[in-house]
Every structure is written in structure tokens, then in C-alpha cells.
DNA sequence: GCCGTTTTCGGCCCGACTGTTTTCAGTCG
């Protein structure tokens, strides 16, 4: 019973109660579910320690239910509710514009319980006759059912860069467009995003929105008004655009960046101070006392500024009250995991060096695959020597590293007498993901014990949306990392982002130092460093925790330590 | 159902857009 499963049950209870028209309880269950889904502690540990009621929005009643769920694997209260209702709420509420009230109405009037029966009723024209419904409503439902089947729910953050560029170019081309900001979860650097949220300022919002809605990649409109417009692009990506006056830019940015629960928490603070916070500003009565920029909004609430990456209502507001938010890592001076023609990279050594110089780095490291034939294009002895010569004649701090596979027994696939010729060795797991936590941990520890291994790449092996990362015995991993001065990597490539935020947070709390690398297989991918830094910031990492924030000599000293 | 140095009872974020209404409920961000 992990956090996700507990949260799902609480969410499902909220859905069922909502359908029964129960007041307020659904909100309570949802808030508790939210806390549990996002907290970094394991719910089982919290239960063992008897601290369930310390979780925000978990009181005695919900705590009892969680305890039962953990102890017995099921929950009688939930089963009872489920038995009473025949409606597949999860399926139906995925339909755009279909919420609890309508679902209940449809069930009461037409016994609609799932997508199939909804579709049938709509096609037979039965829905238009219901009270409060009409022809348009029925048509919209049919359309929403049609599109629900083909739209993806979330996108890997790094995969929408081109769409964002195109949207920005289109929107800012219009003279009515002022300040432009990508807000929402994208700005918070979450690994996946549900949609793209864009904030633009304008003195002529209607004119600007007309222009925005003429974007050629739009497939269909979802809503349009005088302050916002929403649509779906031909590739299935949802876009929400909000237009406000520039005097509200800060408060609108705060609102539209979220997260939702962070917003609600801030608005409660405002209430307590006798103020009101909305996207239009922070108000005392009719008077706007902040809103032009985000800093003024936080200051007006008596809070230290909170970076977007931390705005998840996971303790950051409490820290900000006490001015305890640290200065987060913002920039690195080098990148030492990347691949070239020597293994499976798409660019030459020279091209990668040129690109790293353009990134503004002071140093870099090339880490082509070496040591095993299992990974495509691993270098042999001659190639390693040839690459060394090529690297050594450069007028730039270029290190020669290697990425070496850890085999299923924990042995490196290259011998020490070959490893010793590299400036540093990166070890990583590319197979045997299904071993036990113990076995996987042992493999990682064994690699860290090797004197030439300086970095463990993508430590959990996850591939976002495709493969869950494996779990490790983190305490032992962190301890060995410290003992051997082996750095755990924050791999910045879009599908990995591994270590992820909660592991980063745990690692730095344990006293580990980390390194952010892109694992670029071409020059373009070097730019995903930004996302790696974003993930590090989500994990509260500061400069002192990230070794490649150092200039060359101190970095080298740490790498060789 | 949860929560609280102005409350242990009575609140629970605040606003835009849509479709169906002749004044607003539902859904969404
Ligand atoms: N105050 C308030 N703000 C909300 C609410 N729902 C959404 N927002 C704000 C905060 C969100 O970050 C922002 C954009 O909404 P989205 O639904 O796109 O969520 P977000 O981008 O955070 O996550 P996503 O990856 O899109 O699922 O709008 C709400 O119920 N109340
Ligand atoms: Mg969003
Ligand atoms: Mg959105
Ligand atoms: Zn590779």
C-alpha cells in the first residue's frame, strides 16, 4: 500500500460522496489525498510512527481509514460506498464539461453509468430533453466523448519545447501583446505537464485573443472570452491563455503558476489578514496593494519570495513565513555526461565542444559508452586512445570520461586497468531492472566502491511514462556516496530527470553532493540542462550541493576526491 | 471532514466561460 494507492482511494471516496451530494466532505478527502500523494514520506512509515494525524488535512476520521487500509489492504467504508453506486465516475468525469452534478443527474434520469451508455443516450437524442440540458449540451458531450478517446492526458515537459516556441512566436508577433510568460506546471518544472498555460498582458485583450485564436495549429476551441482562451492543438496538446492588464501581471503570474493548492493556501493567508488575493491583485477592500510583480504579492502576504519550483504546498509556505527558503542552485559551469560519434552520439567531439562553449561552460566531459557490447557502439581500446588524443589537443577544459555498464551481478563491464586511463568513470545500470531492492542496491554500492567510478548516472533507471524507477535502499546508497565521494547524478534528459525531486531532497538532507548532467546524445540536447537545474531546485538543492556549480579547479578536485 | 494566538463552531479560494436560464448552476483554471 503506497502513497499513490492510498491517495487514489481517498479521491475515489471524494468522488462517491460528491455524487451523493454530500457537502464539504469531498473537499476534505481530496485535500488529504493531495497531501499524501505529494508528501515525500512513505505513508507506511508515517503510520508505523503513529503520526498519520500530523499530515495536513488528515484528522482522526481519515487517519482511522488510512490505518485500516494499510492494516487490512481494504477499507469497509469505501467498499460500502462503492456498492451503493453503479456509476463509473472515473471514466465519466474524464469527459470535458462533465462533472459530479451532471453525472448524478444523468444517472438519476437515464441510468447512465459509463461512457458506453452515455454515448448511446446522446446518440439517441435523449439527453437534450432533460431539465437544464439542451441540444447544444448533448452535441458537446458527443464531441467530448469522441476526443476523449484520442487525447493523451500528460506530456513529458521536454517534449513540448517546439510547440511553446511556435506559440510564443505567434502570440508576441501581435502588437497588442505585452509581457509573455509560460506559467502553470511548466514553470514549476514538473516532469510532465497536463497542458500549456500562457499569460500575456495587453491593453486590448479582445483584439489579442482574436489574433491568438487564429493560430494555424489549433484543431478545436474549448472556450473563448475576453480574458482567456483555451484550445487543443492538432497534436493533442491543450493550451490555456490568460490575458490581463500589466498592473496585474504579478498576481496573474502567481495565480497561473499555481499549484492550485499553493494558491488556495496563499488566499487563505490573505483572508486571515483581511485581504483578498486573486489573479487581479492583492486587495485591501477595493484598493490594490500588490500585483504588478510576484515579489510584491508574496511580500504583501508577509512571505519571503517563493520560486515557482517550490510552489506545491509541501511546506514551502511555512518556510517562507520564517524567511527560511534557501537560495537555490541557478547555474552550472560544466556538463560531464554526453556522447559523441565515438559511441552512440550524433555529433563529433569537435561539435560537442563547440556547443558546450556556446552554453557558456568553463569545462566539460565526454563520456562515451565503453566496456560492453550490450550497449550499442561502446568504444574499444583503439578508439579510446584515439579519442584521448583528439580531446587533449583542445584549447578548452575537456575531460575524457566513460559511461560503463554495471552488470547484473554488480560488476563493471570494463577492467580497472582500462578504467584508470579515463579522467573519471560514470557507472550506470542498463539491465536487470527487475531484481530485488537488495540486489539493485548491492550493485550500485559495488560500483561506488570502485576507485575509478566517480558518478552514478540516472540512479533509479526510470523512463518517464514508460518505466518506473526501481527502489533502492537510499540510506545505504547515500552513506556509501558520502564515504566514497561518488556523486549521484541528476540526469537532465527529459524522459529521465533522475534523481527526481524527492530523492534530491532526501540526498541533500543526508549530506550528499550531487552533479547535474544532460546525457546529451547530440548538441541540441545540451539545452536540457535547464530542466535538470529545475528538478534540482524542486529538491531544494543549493549551489553547495551541486559539484558542477564550481569553477574548473575546485570541480576537478571534487571529481577526483 | 478538517481546522483554529482574534474562532472548538462555522467557516471552507476566487474568478471566467458556457448553456440554459430570465438570474444562475455547473465546470474549469
Ligand atoms: N486559485 C485557483 N487556482 C487554480 C485552480 N485550478 C488551477 N489553478 C491555477 C493554478 C494552476 O497551476 C494554474 C493552471 O492550471 P492547470 O490545470 O493547467 O494546472 P497545472 O498547470 O498546475 O498542472 P497540469 O500539469 O496542467 O496538470 O491555474 C483553482 O481551483 N483555484
Ligand atoms: Mg497546466
Ligand atoms: Mg491549464
Ligand atoms: Zn548512449
Amino acid at each position: 500500500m503506497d502513497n499513490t494507492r492510498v491517495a487514489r482511494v481517498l479521491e475515489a471516496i471524494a468522488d462517491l460522496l460528491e455524487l451523493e451530494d454530500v457537502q464539504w466532505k469531498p473537499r476534505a478527502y481530496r485535500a488529504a489525498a493531495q497531501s499524501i500523494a505529494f508528501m515525500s514520506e512513505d505513508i507506511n512509515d508515517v503510520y508505523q510512527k503513529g503520526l498519520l494525524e500530523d499530515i495536513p488535512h488528515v484528522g482522526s476520521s481519515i487517519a482511522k481509514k488510512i490505518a485500516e487500509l494499510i492494516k487490512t489492504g481494504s477499507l469497509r467504508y469505501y467498499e460500502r460506498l462503492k456498492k451503493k453506486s453503479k456509476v463509473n465516475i472515473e471514466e465519466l468525469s474524464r469527459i470535458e464539461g462533465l462533472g459530479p452534478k451532471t453525472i448524478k443527474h444523468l444517472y438519476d434520469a437515464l441510468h447512465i453509468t459509463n461512457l458506453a451508455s452515455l454515448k448511446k443516450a446522446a446518440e439517441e437524442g435523449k439527453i437534450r430533453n432533460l431539465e437544464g440540458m439542451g441540444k447544444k449540451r448533448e452535441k458537446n458531450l458527443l464531441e467530448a466523448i469522441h476526443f476523449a478517446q484520442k487525447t493523451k492526458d500528460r506530456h513529458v515537459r521536454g517534449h513540448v519545447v517546439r510547440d511553446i516556441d511556435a506559440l510564443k512566436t505567434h502570440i508576441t508577433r501581435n502588437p497588442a501583446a505585452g509581457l509573455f510568460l509560460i506559467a502553470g506546471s511548466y514553470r514549476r518544472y514538473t516532469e510532465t505537464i497536463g497542458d500549456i498555460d500562457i499569460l500575456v498582458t495587453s491593453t486590448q485583450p479582445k483584439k489579442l485573443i482574436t489574433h491568438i485564436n487564429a493560430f494555424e495549429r489549433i484543431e478545436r476551441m474549448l472556450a473563448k472570452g475576453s480574458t482567456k482562451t483555451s484550445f487543443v492543438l492538432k497534436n493533442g496538446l491543450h493550451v490555456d491563455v490568460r490575458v490581463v492588464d500589466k498592473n496585474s501581471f504579478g498576481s496573474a503570474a502567481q495565480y497561473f503558476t499555481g499549484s492550485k493548492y499553493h494558491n488556495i493556501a496563499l488566499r487563505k493567508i490573505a483572508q486571515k489578514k483581511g485581504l483578498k488575493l486573486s489573479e487581479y491583485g492583492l486587495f485591501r477592500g477595493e484598493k490594490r496593494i500588490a500585483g504588478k510583480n510576484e515579489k510584491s504579492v508574496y511580500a504583501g502576504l508577509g512571505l519571503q519570495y517563493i520560486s515557482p519550483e517550490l510552489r506545491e504546498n509541501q511546506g514551502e509556505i511555512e518556510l517562507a513565513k520564517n524567511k527560511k527558503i534557501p537560495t537555490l542552485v541557478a547555474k552550472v559551469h560544466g556538463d560531464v555526461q554526453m556522447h559523441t560519434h565515438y559511441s552512440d552520439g550524433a555529433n563529433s567531439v569537435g561539435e560537442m565542444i563547440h556547443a558546450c562553449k556556446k552554453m557558456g561552460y568553463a569545462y566539460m566531459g565526454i563520456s562515451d559508452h565503453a566496456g560492453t557490447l550490450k550497449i550499442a557502439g561502446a568504444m574499444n581500446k583503439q578508439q579510446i586512445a584515439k579519442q584521448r588524443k583528439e580531446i587533449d589537443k583542445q584549447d578548452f577544459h575537456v575531460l575524457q570520461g566513460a559511461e560503463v555498464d554495471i552488470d547484473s551481478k554488480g560488476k563493471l563491464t570494463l577492467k580497472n586497468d582500462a578504467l584508470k586511463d579515463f579522467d573519471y568513470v560514470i557507472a550506470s545500470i542498463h539491465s536487470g531492472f527487475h531484481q530485488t531492492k537488495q540486489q539493485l542496491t548491492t550493485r550500485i554500492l559495488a560500483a561506488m566502491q570502485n576507485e575509478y567510478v566517480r558518478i552514478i548516472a540516472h540512479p533509479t533507471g526510470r523512463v518517464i511514462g514508460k518505466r518506473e524507477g526501481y527502489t533502492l535502499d537510499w540510506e545505504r546508497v547515500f552513506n556509501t556516496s558520502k564515504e566514497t565521494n561518488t556523486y549521484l547524478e541528476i540526469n537532465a534528459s527529459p524522459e529521465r530527470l533522475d534523481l527526481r525531486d524527492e530523492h534530491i531532497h532526501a540526498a541533500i538532507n543526508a549530506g550528499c553532493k550531487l552533479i547535474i548532467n544532460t546525457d546529451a546524445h547530440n548538441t541540441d540536447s545540451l539545452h536540457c540542462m535547464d530542466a535538470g537545474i529545475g528538478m534540482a531546485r524542486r529538491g531544494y538543492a543549493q549551489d553547495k550541493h551541486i559539484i558542477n556549480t564550481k569553477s574548473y579547479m575546485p570541480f576537478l578536485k571534487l571529481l577526483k576526491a
Side-chain angles (χ1 to χ4, degrees):
Chain A
M1 192 61 58
D2 60 6
N3 293 38
T4 315
R5 280 181 60 195
V6 172
R8 271 209 205 108
V9 171
L10 298 178
E11 278 285 352
I13 291 173
D15 284 346
L16 288 160
L17 291 172
E18 217 160 31
L19 214 58
E20 290 187 359
D21 240 353
V22 177
Q23 301 300 303
W24 304 115
K25 280 196 202 184
R27 182 188 298 247
Y29 277 92
R30 258 184 245 293
Q34 173 73 16
S35 296
I36 291 162
F38 279 84
M39 71 188 194
S40 48
E41 297 86 2
D42 187 318
I43 189 78
N44 298 290
D45 296 344
V46 181
Y47 165 67
Q48 293 297 342
K49 289 182 197 149
L51 297 177
L52 284 175
E53 288 189 43
D54 287 2
I55 301 169
H57 305 106
V58 174
S60 65
S61 169
I62 292 182
K64 275 203 201 88
K65 295 188 171 71
I66 296 171
E68 180 182 335
L69 203 49
I70 289 176
K71 261 192 299 201
T72 69
S74 74
L75 177 57
R76 286 163 302 171
Y77 176 69
Y78 174 48
E79 298 301 326
R80 267 207 306 280
L81 283 172
K82 251 201 309 198
K83 225 181 221 154
K84 262 197 282 177
S85 159
K86 295 173 178 58
V87 183
N88 188 339
I89 305 171
E90 229 190 288
E91 188 175 87
L92 287 176
S93 52
R94 267 202 294 274
I95 303 300
E96 268 161 24
L98 196 50
K101 292 286 191 292
T102 314
I103 293 176
K104 179 167 163 45
H105 188 179
L106 290 172
Y107 177 73
D108 290 343
L110 298 171
H111 282 84
I112 286 169
T113 56
N114 55 28
L115 206 53
S117 52
L118 172 64
K119 192 164 176 219
K120 186 155 171 288
E123 279 166 352
E124 290 170 354
K126 286 181 177 161
I127 289 176
R128 68 183 71 174
N129 302 321
L130 269 67
E131 200 192 324
M133 307 284 266
K135 271 190 168 171
K136 194 127 193 203
R137 201 83 173 74
E138 186 177 84
K139 180 170 153 285
N140 287 348
L141 278 174
L142 273 173
E143 220 176 275
I145 291 169
H146 172 73
F147 283 109
Q149 279 146 3
K150 59 175 262 197
T151 48
K152 216 167 54 160
D153 35 323
R154 298 194 70 80
H155 304 256
V156 170
R157 182 180 186 279
H159 290 175
V160 300
V161 175
R162 275 166 215 288
D163 295 291
I164 286 179
D165 281 348
L167 280 160
K168 181 170 184 182
T169 305
H170 172 74
I171 293 171
T172 56
R173 190 167 66 218
N174 193 282
L179 301 169
F180 178 97
L181 178 76
I182 306 293
S185 50
Y186 187 89
R187 184 164 178 240
R188 302 199 310 277
Y189 282 83
T190 60
E191 60 210 35
T192 65
I193 58 167
D195 66 356
I196 297 181
D197 301 292
I198 297 174
L199 175 64
V200 206
T201 63
S202 182
T203 51
Q204 301 159 280
K206 287 195 179 115
K207 192 173 154 205
L208 180 60
I209 284 175
T210 303
H211 165 79
I212 293 170
N213 290 345
F215 185 48
E216 66 276 9
R217 295 192 198 180
I218 294 178
E219 180 174 76
R220 64 196 179 103
M221 297 301 303
L222 296 173
K224 55 184 171 210
S226 55
T227 74
K228 66 186 271 193
T229 174
S230 312
F231 43 80
V232 184
L233 301 181
K234 285 170 183 154
N235 63 7
L237 196 60
H238 285 235
V239 181
D240 289 330
V241 185
R242 195 68 205 257
V243 183
V244 299
D245 182 86
K246 69 178 192 311
N247 288 318
S248 291
F249 178 72
S251 46
Q254 192 292 305
Y255 152 70
F256 217 23
T257 298
S259 66
K260 173 181 166 176
Y261 285 93
H262 178 89
N263 288 358
I264 291 174
L266 291 193
R267 286 166 184 214
K268 282 182 178 158
I269 293 174
Q271 282 183 323
K272 256 193 229 151
K273 292 183 180 290
L275 307 173
K276 182 183 69 170
L277 175 61
S278 76
E279 58 267 50
Y280 296 108
L282 183 63
F283 296 89
R284 173 172 283 124
E286 293 290 290
K287 190 174 158 31
R288 173 160 49 203
I289 59 170
K292 212 175 167 83
N293 57 62
E294 280 189 319
K295 290 217 161 67
S296 71
V297 173
Y298 285 95
L301 294 171
L303 298 174
Q304 186 185 6
Y305 177 74
I306 303 173
S307 295
E309 296 89 341
L310 302 180
R311 300 180 193 169
E312 300 288 354
N313 198 30
Q314 277 300 122
E316 75 281 5
I317 293 172
E318 202 52 38
L319 288 175
K321 274 183 193 157
N322 302 316
K323 310 272 184 268
K324 288 266 173 57
I325 303 249
T327 302
L328 304 174
V329 54
K331 184 173 181 226
V332 296
H333 290 112
D335 180 358
V336 304
Q337 203 204 154
M338 66 187 73
H339 303 260
T340 71
H341 283 158
Y342 279 92
S343 63
D344 60 353
N347 291 97
S348 67
V349 167
E351 285 163 345
M352 293 306 275
I353 293 172
H354 182 70
C356 279
K357 286 181 180 168
K358 269 187 35 191
M359 294 290 296
Y361 291 150
Y363 53 89
M364 62 185 283
I366 288 170
S367 61
D368 276 303
H369 297 284
T372 179
L373 293 176
K374 268 189 257 164
I375 294 172
M379 294 185 289
N380 63 27
K381 212 173 161 184
Q382 287 74 33
Q383 288 169 314
I384 293 169
K386 181 161 175 258
Q387 187 188 54
R388 168 62 78 182
K389 272 196 189 146
E390 190 174 345
I391 283 175
D392 281 350
K393 68 175 196 240
Q394 299 295 334
D395 58 345
F396 190 60
H397 294 308
V398 187
L399 300 169
Q400 187 191 30
E403 184 181 5
V404 178
D405 201 26
I406 304 170
D407 77 10
S408 60
K409 297 199 178 60
K411 269 182 57 183
L412 295 172
T413 55
L414 201 62
K415 292 260 155 41
N416 274 355
D417 66 342
L419 295 180
K420 73 175 183 342
D421 293 333
F422 293 104
D423 294 313
Y424 63 101
V425 172
I426 299 175
S428 52
I429 287 184
H430 291 97
S431 60
F433 303 114
H434 298 297
Q435 294 179 345
T436 64
K437 176 173 163 183
Q438 266 333 301
Q439 286 173 308
L440 283 154
T441 301
T442 308
R443 285 165 75 190
I444 299 263
L445 296 192
M448 290 204 274
Q449 297 291 355
N450 181 296
E451 60 185 305
Y452 301 108
V453 171
R454 312 305 313 125
I455 294 166
I456 301 294
H458 44 77
T460 78
R462 74 163 175 174
V463 180
I464 295 166
K466 298 209 169 68
R467 187 170 75 211
E468 289 276 307
Y470 37 80
T471 42
L472 296 168
D473 184 339
W474 289 111
E475 197 179 328
R476 294 177 68 202
V477 171
F478 294 155
N479 282 337
T480 310
S481 161
K482 282 185 286 181
E483 279 160 30
T484 62
N485 291 315
T486 311
Y487 307 103
L488 297 173
E489 179 183 74
I490 299 169
N491 189 294
S493 60
E495 303 82 10
R496 289 196 183 273
L497 292 166
D498 176 14
L499 299 177
R500 59 168 303 169
D501 39 22
E502 60 173 283
H503 295 139
I504 294 166
H505 202 21
I508 65 175
N509 282 342
C512 293
K513 286 188 165 52
L514 308 169
I515 182 165
I516 312 174
N517 290 319
T518 62
D519 199 0
H521 283 66
N522 57 60
T523 51
D524 276 351
S525 304
L526 291 168
H527 290 283
C528 70
M529 180 57 82
D530 172 61
I533 294 172
M535 189 53 71
R537 291 166 64 89
R538 289 178 61 82
Y540 284 86
Q542 308 169 40
D543 278 356
K544 65 179 180 190
H545 302 121
I546 306 292
I547 66 168
N548 50 331
T549 56
K550 305 264 186 247
S551 55
Y552 182 61
M553 287 313 290
F555 169 77
L556 200 60
K557 200 171 156 213
L558 283 168
L559 190 67
K560 299 282 187 187

